[in-house]
Amino acid sequence: MATMGAPPVKIKLISRGPVCLMFTLFVAMTGAALAQNPVPLIDQPLVPDAAAPGGPQLMLTVNGTGFVPGSVVHWNGSPLATTFVSGSELKASVPASDVLQPGTASVTVVNPVPGGGTSNVVYFALGHPTSSVSLRTNSYTAGSGLLGSLAIGDFNRDGKADLAMTDANGQNASVLLGNGDGTFQPPVTYATGIAEAVVTADFNGDGKLDLAVAYNNGSVSGGVAILLGNGDGTFRAAVNYGAGLEPNAIAVGDFNGDGELDVVVANYASGDISVLLGNGDGTFKPAVTYSTGSGSGPLSLAVGDFNHDGKLDVVVGKFSCYSPCGTISVFLGNGDGTFQPAVNYNGGGEPISIAAGDFNGDGRLDLAVADIGSGQVLILKGNGDGTFQGPVSYSTTGDPAWIALGDLNGDGKLDLAVLSIGSSCRVNILLGNGDGTFQPEVNYSMPSCDNGSAGGGVGIADFNRDGKLDLAVAAPGSSTFSVLLQAPTVSLSPASLTFAGHVVGTRSSVQQVILTNSGYLELSIAGISMSGKNATDFSETNNCPSTLAIGAMCTIDVTFAPTQMGPRSASVTITDNAAVSTQQIALSGTGVVSGPNATLSPASIAFGTQLVTTTSPAQSVTLTNNGTAMLAIASIVTTGDFGPTNTCGSSLAILASCTIAVTFAPKQQGNRTGTLSVRDNAPGSPQTVSLNGTGTVGVQLNPTSLNFGGHRVGAAHTLSTTLTTSSALSIAGITITGADTDEFSETNTCGASVAAGKSCTITVTYRPKEAGGDSAAVSIRDNAPGSPQSVTLAGWGCNPLQSCN
């Protein structure tokens, strides 16, 4: 308490309402300032984090950090009756009227003044739980070719999820306002510098979401660009604040508990993190840096209270020049905006993305790490005291690069969405079991990706407001991003129809398929039609409505009327809003004629070039009886340098087939021809197939080129080619020639000579010495025509920061 006559204490408040006025009067009269309330942070998951629509009132448990006795849980912006349990737990009553219809609610916690503020958003899905996830992909253009990190928020306050993405090529942030149906308006760009990562929060306390972008101007400078939001989906010009060199990750939290949001940035080139404390008006104090260790490059960040002391901590994933290459560094917060020295944990190879959540329901934050270096997702269970258990790994298709958390199937257990790069970009979904373990991945291909580029990101929200969480994915090196919406599930029984042999010109009886909406979303059917090679030979009728309710079914009736003899095929194509937008019912049938029939396929065979005195691999001819009577076979013979074997026997049943294998063994050089003849009791006997090939003398190499693909610098890989000769071959030498001879080496079993008709093997080893493409050739000098023969070689080396797939 201040003494009488002491000047009043001046305290800056963002709010201008009655509470602010009362507090100002109290301070003026007494000279005493109340303790500041922090900005709260919600941990994932909510408990529960999903519910079926139409249920009773539910009690929601919210776990996190920075809760105070006056904290209030908000549901879609409206306050709920809230009970304060502790600084890390609140309970709120959600009335039945708020969980009546399918949809997704945004849950926040609001702390009162002094200080205080609104937490991050966590989503609560109102939909039916499922045992699996079914997604359909829509793609949109959003930048100039190097999309990266993305942030999700309601920037124009219309209740629809919007997106902000970084575009390093365009040196800007792109904002795409959501239409609420899974589609987005064209991007609006804001200059930021070479944008690497973006987050959204309300930095000036005006109730409008702002953007913070980590930008990288190379090894010269880097920093944070703050774009204050106008609340209508537009943003003011960026104001820049310095950080370290090459910032590539950013996160938000109230690190000093003053009710103002702060920013932390990971600086790859300078090997540290920068903490910028907020002033509450959208401006920030100068950055304070914390080293992540000698020779390290920080790649990723996560924020949470990992030791349950009510103070926010920071976790950093970094790549080091030393073993182990990947490290998880934990900086425990002191609660005043400063941090203790890092404690390190094994982080695999390159922990490029980190997310924090409680995966086993023990109230302690765990970590999920996308480790691009090992090609695995790592789970580190938290002990609740700021320490972590050793990593447990889960394999993914491709190299995991970015990770996000959410309950995708609505079963109350956190799941993982992982963007992986490699020969193609994929989204890997790992459903959680609720005990800290995860099910094997289900993956979805992305339409475009450059696996050698930086950038990329993944986020989770309900973009079409159907009560199921969806994904937004920015694939690296691409100007497009994809929205993966959860979709209905369609079941077809049976999935295909086969019609028996039917005489040309007549119609079969009906066969029926049952179409069922087996998922938990309504199925919209746009159309059902015939398609495929012989679509006019089949017809369908159906009783399917344009909208098929959950669990409902309808029928599709199909008939077959062949117009020609032989196999006929088509499909019934169903166009709808399921994960795969078209389902197909495969249709097959056979048109037949009266009496026996003999059909040979193909009508001719070309064997190409074959060494004299050697025999080619067999090629097949199929003999089919498309008739209504048994086919009697008298003989199967060939002429010329061709030889048959067959499985046909002396007769062939109705609609049966048999195989005739034909080989080519040239006796001399030049073009060679012959005929396969089948004598039988069918009209037009004998049926024939024309045969041709070319005899040659010399050397053959198989294959004639070896492509090693990508491999880490210093790692070895081998491939082989086979040399075959038609006559005695004298070998003068086998060597590596070309531009990159020191990257390739060879061994062989050929020796100084190879006998006529014999083969030997040449094995090539590729060991890249530096990153980049390599090319050379194996050169064989001998006494055969065309010497030297050659096998082309290609490969490329990749450094530890690249994917080699």
Side-chain angles (χ1 to χ4, degrees):
M1 185 76 68
T3 59
M4 293 296 292
V9 178
K10 295 181 179 179
I11 295 183
K12 175 183 174 294
L13 293 176
I14 301 301
S15 172
R16 304 302 180 195
V19 173
C20 176
L21 177 60
M22 292 173 62
F23 176 69
T24 303
L25 291 173
F26 172 78
V27 172
M29 293 173 61
T30 66
L34 298 177
Q36 296 286 95
N37 291 321
V39 178
L41 178 74
I42 303 178
D43 295 337
Q44 290 198 71
L46 302 168
V47 183
D49 68 355
Q57 170 183 311
L58 63 86
M59 184 60 66
L60 181 68
T61 299
V62 180
N63 296 305
T65 308
F67 303 151
V68 297
S71 296
V72 177
V73 177
H74 283 232
W75 181 275
N76 287 330
S78 299
L80 298 176
T82 304
T83 300
F84 175 80
V85 179
S86 70
S88 59
E89 182 180 343
L90 301 173
K91 290 187 180 294
S93 177
V94 183
S97 59
D98 282 350
V99 296
L100 186 61
Q101 299 295 329
T104 299
S106 60
V107 176
T108 56
V109 172
V110 178
N111 277 0
V113 294
T118 303
S119 73
N120 56 309
V121 174
V122 177
Y123 295 105
F124 188 102
L126 288 164
H128 294 278
T130 60
S131 59
S132 61
V133 172
S134 180
L135 302 172
R136 72 177 187 271
T137 303
N138 298 318
S139 297
Y140 305 88
T141 299
S144 59
L146 198 58
L147 297 180
S149 168
L150 58 85
I152 299 170
D154 185 1
F155 302 133
N156 58 351
R157 299 185 289 183
D158 63 354
K160 304 168 186 177
D162 309 314
L163 289 173
M165 295 186 185
T166 58
D167 178 6
N169 276 2
Q171 300 191 29
N172 58 49
S174 297
V175 175
L176 299 94
L177 299 179
N179 296 317
D181 59 359
T183 66
F184 292 83
Q185 299 176 32
V188 177
T189 59
Y190 298 86
T192 60
I194 304 176
E196 296 288 350
V198 60
V199 291
T200 183
D202 182 5
F203 295 114
N204 60 351
D206 63 355
K208 305 167 186 177
L209 285 178
D210 312 311
L211 299 178
V213 177
Y215 67 85
N216 163 22
N217 290 334
S219 60
V220 178
S221 65
V224 177
I226 302 297
L227 294 82
L228 297 179
N230 297 314
D232 58 359
T234 65
F235 293 83
R236 303 177 207 173
V239 177
N240 297 332
Y241 297 85
L245 301 181
E246 297 186 26
N248 61 1
I250 189 169
V252 172
D254 183 0
F255 301 122
N256 58 352
D258 64 352
E260 321 292 2
L261 284 175
D262 312 312
V263 170
V264 59
V265 179
N267 306 305
Y268 182 81
S270 52
D272 52 34
I273 61 172
S274 296
V275 177
L276 290 80
L277 298 179
N279 296 315
D281 57 0
T283 65
F284 291 82
K285 296 179 174 62
V288 177
T289 62
Y290 297 84
S291 174
T292 56
S294 177
S296 68
L299 297 167
S300 51
L301 290 170
V303 171
D305 182 6
F306 299 105
N307 60 350
H308 281 282
D309 64 353
K311 305 166 185 176
L312 284 183
D313 313 310
V314 174
V315 170
V316 180
K318 63 185 183 182
F319 175 77
S320 174
C321 298
Y322 309 105
S323 181
C325 292
T327 304
I328 304 298
S329 296
V330 179
F331 291 84
L332 295 179
N334 295 316
D336 58 359
T338 65
F339 294 86
Q340 300 173 32
V343 177
N344 297 323
Y345 298 86
N346 179 15
E350 295 174 58
I352 198 169
S353 178
I354 299 180
D358 182 5
F359 302 129
N360 57 354
D362 63 356
R364 304 165 182 171
L365 283 177
D366 311 309
L367 298 176
V369 180
D371 179 19
I372 194 173
S374 68
Q376 296 177 320
V377 171
L378 308 179
I379 303 297
L380 288 79
K381 292 183 180 179
N383 296 317
D385 57 0
T387 66
F388 292 86
Q389 299 174 31
V392 176
S393 61
Y394 294 84
S395 296
T396 60
T397 301
D399 294 328
W402 294 271
I403 197 165
L405 308 180
D407 184 1
L408 295 172
N409 61 342
D411 65 352
K413 304 165 186 175
L414 275 183
D415 310 312
L416 305 180
V418 182
L419 173 60
S420 296
I421 63 175
S423 55
S424 65
C425 283
R426 295 178 180 272
V427 170
N428 315 101
I429 304 298
L430 289 80
L431 296 179
N433 296 316
D435 58 359
T437 65
F438 292 85
Q439 299 174 31
E441 63 165 3
V442 175
N443 63 74
Y444 297 84
S445 295
M446 293 293 96
S448 61
C449 172
D450 179 356
N451 60 23
S453 295
V458 59
I460 295 178
D462 184 359
F463 295 112
N464 59 353
R465 300 185 292 178
D466 62 357
K468 295 288 186 181
L469 292 179
D470 312 307
L471 305 180
V473 179
S478 174
S479 61
T480 63
F481 76 94
S482 298
V483 175
L484 283 72
L485 300 175
Q486 294 216 43
T489 303
V490 176
S491 299
L492 296 169
S493 179
S496 63
L497 298 176
T498 300
F499 293 83
H502 215 73
V503 175
V504 172
T506 65
R507 183 171 296 277
S508 73
S509 58
V510 168
Q511 293 196 49
Q512 190 173 83
V513 173
I514 298 175
L515 184 156
T516 304
N517 179 1
S518 54
Y520 288 94
L521 294 170
E522 286 188 341
L523 179 70
S524 297
I525 301 176
I528 299 176
S529 61
M530 302 301 306
S531 62
K533 183 179 180 181
N534 309 122
T536 58
D537 285 14
F538 300 85
S539 60
E540 67 81 23
T541 59
N542 69 81
N543 64 357
C544 297
S546 59
T547 300
L548 193 62
I550 297 169
M553 61 182 64
C554 59
T555 58
I556 303 171
D557 294 335
V558 183
T559 58
F560 174 48
T563 58
Q564 295 183 32
M565 183 184 66
R568 314 296 286 168
S569 63
S571 296
V572 177
T573 298
I574 305 155
T575 305
D576 51 44
N577 65 332
V580 179
S581 60
T582 58
Q583 289 75 45
Q584 291 191 323
I585 305 167
L587 309 176
S588 63
T590 305
V592 298
V593 295
S594 297
N597 167 264
T599 300
L600 288 170
S601 179
S604 63
I605 298 178
F607 284 87
T609 301
Q610 184 70 30
L611 290 176
V612 172
T613 72
T614 65
T615 300
S616 73
Q619 295 198 46
S620 296
V621 174
T622 301
L623 172 64
T624 305
N625 179 10
N626 290 321
T628 59
M630 181 176 291
L631 178 70
I633 301 172
S635 65
I636 299 176
V637 296
T638 57
T639 63
D641 295 348
F642 304 89
T645 58
N646 69 83
T647 61
C648 298
S650 60
S651 63
L652 197 58
I654 299 168
L655 294 183
S657 297
C658 62
T659 301
I660 304 168
V662 183
T663 57
F664 174 43
K667 297 181 176 65
Q668 55 185 284
Q669 297 185 66
N671 187 45
R672 312 296 290 166
T673 61
T675 302
L676 167 68
S677 297
V678 179
R679 294 186 180 275
D680 49 51
N681 66 334
S685 178
Q687 288 78 29
T688 61
V689 174
S690 61
L691 310 172
N692 70 83
T694 302
T696 186
V697 176
V699 171
Q700 282 186 337
L701 289 162
N702 185 28
T704 57
S705 64
L706 300 176
N707 190 333
F708 290 83
H711 293 282
R712 299 283 185 196
V713 170
H717 189 63
T718 60
L719 293 174
S720 297
T721 186
T722 300
L723 180 152
T724 304
T725 178
S726 62
S727 58
L729 183 70
S730 296
I731 298 177
I734 300 176
T735 57
I736 302 293
T737 62
D740 301 300
T741 57
D742 56 343
E743 316 279 331
F744 299 90
S745 61
E746 67 80 26
T747 59
N748 65 81
T749 62
C750 301
S753 63
V754 181
K758 300 298 182 181
S759 300
C760 64
T761 301
I762 302 171
T763 300
V764 180
T765 299
Y766 173 52
R767 189 188 301 272
K769 295 185 176 180
E770 58 186 22
D774 298 306
S775 62
V778 176
S779 179
I780 303 108
R781 293 178 290 111
D782 50 51
N783 64 336
S787 177
Q789 290 80 23
S790 66
V791 177
T792 59
L793 310 175
W796 63 278
C798 59
N799 61 42
L801 291 177
Q802 291 178 296
S803 170
C804 292
N805 294 329

